[in-house]
């Protein structure tokens, strides 16, 4: 009988896999940091403001493509900039309409939540004004609502794999990731713990006070690559019953 691999071993192996593919990390970091960097160089640029959603979509498309990049690199496929750009743009085109739909749904939900808060809590106009004055990242970071979001977001850990390797749509990948996560709660619990450590750690590191959100991007992007690499190894072994040898399309 084959001995069951400890769950933590997937993360050790994922850490090694991520470190063998640091070019993916640095490319993703460039894509994420590029928009705020350009905004700092060209403040109040209407063109940059109009292109900001495009940059974020491309960054999201790149993130969803990481499992495919890891597989291609493993099989010695060319990870040229041309190939990475082509794959990222294909992923980006696939998520445009679903992203718009999800944005509309999220906006409606936020409006409903705000309306319910106003109806039941009956805040005064001064309290509402003070809330929006205090509504900045540093103040709300440790709000219970945002702390709850950390484990909730962790349930989407399988989304990039389902999207890029199983070629499912974005919304289907999100829903299937939730169901897969519920079926593998011991593994998910470790992912949640790592996400909490990443979330909390960037608040306490001195580097965060100096570089702000850029420091968080640097740290969280690396941890994200490790988690995706670990989840890919886990998915192939425990769900697909393979050993990192799925069939992929270039």
């Amino acid at each position: 009988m084959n001995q069951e691999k400890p769950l933590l071993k997937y993360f050790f192996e994922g850490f090694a896999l991520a470190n063998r593919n640091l070019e993916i990390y640095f490319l993703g970091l460039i894509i994420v940091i590029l928009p705020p960097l350009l905004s700092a160089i060209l403040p109040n640029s209407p063109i940059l403001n109009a292109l900001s959603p495009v940059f974020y979509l491309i960054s999201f498309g790149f993130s969803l493509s990481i499992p495919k990049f890891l597989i291609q690199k493993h099989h010695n496929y060319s990870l040229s900039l041309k190939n990475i750009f082509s794959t990222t743009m294909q992923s980006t085109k696939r998520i445009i309409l679903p992203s718009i739909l999800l944005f509309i749904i999220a906006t409606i939900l936020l409006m409903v939540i705000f309306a319910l808060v106003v109806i039941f809590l009956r805040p005064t106009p001064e309290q509402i004004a003070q809330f929006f004055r205090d509504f900045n990242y540093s103040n709300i970071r440790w709000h219970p609502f945002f702390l709850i979001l950390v484990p909730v977001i962790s349930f989407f850990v399988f989304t990039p794999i389902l999207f890029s390797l199983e070629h499912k749509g974005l919304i289907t990948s999100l829903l299937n990731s939730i169901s897969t996560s519920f079926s593998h709660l011991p593994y998910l619990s470790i992912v949640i713990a790592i996400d909490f450590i990443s979330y909390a750690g960037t608040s306490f590191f001195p580097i965060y006070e100096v570089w702000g959100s850029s420091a968080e991007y640097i740290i969280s992007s690396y941890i994200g690559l490790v988690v995706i690499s670990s989840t890919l190894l886990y998915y192939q072994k425990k769900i697909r019953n393979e050993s990192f040898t799925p069939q992929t399309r270039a």
Side-chain angles (χ1 to χ4, degrees):
M1 181 179 295
N2 292 330
Q3 189 174 4
E4 191 77 11
K5 181 188 294 189
L7 291 178
L8 282 176
K9 192 167 184 181
Y10 290 103
F11 292 91
F12 291 127
E13 293 177 355
F15 175 75
L17 178 61
N19 287 330
R20 292 197 300 270
N21 295 276
L22 287 178
E23 65 270 33
I24 297 175
Y25 164 69
F26 287 116
L27 281 172
L29 202 60
I30 291 172
I31 294 173
V32 169
I33 292 180
L34 187 59
L37 181 62
L38 290 176
S39 296
I41 297 173
L42 300 171
N44 302 319
S45 170
I47 296 177
L48 282 179
N49 291 335
L51 290 177
S52 290
V54 177
F55 279 116
Y56 287 117
L57 275 175
I58 293 174
S59 177
F60 190 26
F62 178 88
S63 299
L64 290 172
S65 303
I66 287 177
K68 178 174 282 190
F69 296 148
L70 292 172
I71 293 293
Q72 291 175 337
K73 181 75 178 296
H74 177 73
H75 288 294
N76 297 317
Y77 292 165
S78 172
L79 267 188
S80 64
L81 288 176
K82 180 180 178 181
N83 180 33
I84 291 175
F85 177 79
S86 174
T87 302
T88 299
M89 294 311 296
Q90 288 175 12
S91 297
T92 302
K93 285 189 289 186
R94 290 174 57 197
I95 66 174
I96 291 176
L97 291 179
S99 296
I100 293 173
L101 177 61
L102 291 172
F103 176 78
I104 293 173
I105 293 173
T107 302
I108 294 173
L109 286 176
L110 286 175
M111 292 174 63
V112 170
I113 292 172
F114 181 77
L116 291 175
V117 169
V118 171
I119 292 171
F120 289 103
L121 297 183
R122 299 182 182 279
T124 64
E126 292 76 15
Q127 290 174 325
I128 295 175
Q130 184 63 42
F131 172 80
F132 283 106
R133 280 197 296 269
D134 294 339
F135 197 81
N136 62 69
Y137 191 68
S138 59
N139 288 342
I140 66 174
R141 188 172 177 81
W142 293 101
H143 191 281
F145 174 78
F146 289 91
L147 291 177
I148 292 172
L149 282 181
V150 175
V152 170
I153 293 174
S154 299
F155 275 85
F156 301 114
V157 68
F158 293 99
T159 300
I161 297 170
L162 297 168
F163 181 86
S164 63
L165 298 184
E166 304 293 352
H167 303 284
K168 298 180 183 294
L170 177 60
I171 295 178
T172 301
S173 298
L174 291 168
L175 295 175
N176 286 0
S177 179
I178 294 173
S179 62
T180 302
S181 297
F182 273 114
S183 300
H184 298 270
L185 287 177
Y187 177 83
L188 182 72
S189 64
I190 301 177
V191 173
I192 292 174
I194 292 173
D195 287 343
F196 262 121
I197 292 171
S198 173
Y199 185 83
T202 52
S203 297
F204 296 115
F205 288 159
I207 190 176
Y208 183 81
E209 298 298 327
V210 179
W211 288 357
S213 58
S214 295
E216 183 175 8
Y217 291 144
I218 293 170
I219 297 168
S220 61
S221 294
Y222 176 75
I223 294 176
L225 178 60
V226 172
V227 170
I228 290 178
S229 301
S230 306
T231 303
L232 174 61
L233 295 172
Y234 179 85
Y235 184 85
Q236 293 301 320
K237 184 64 177 177
K238 298 293 292 183
I239 299 176
R240 290 286 296 272
N241 195 26
E242 299 174 353
S243 297
F244 205 62
T245 55
Q247 298 297 318
T248 62
R249 290 180 280 183

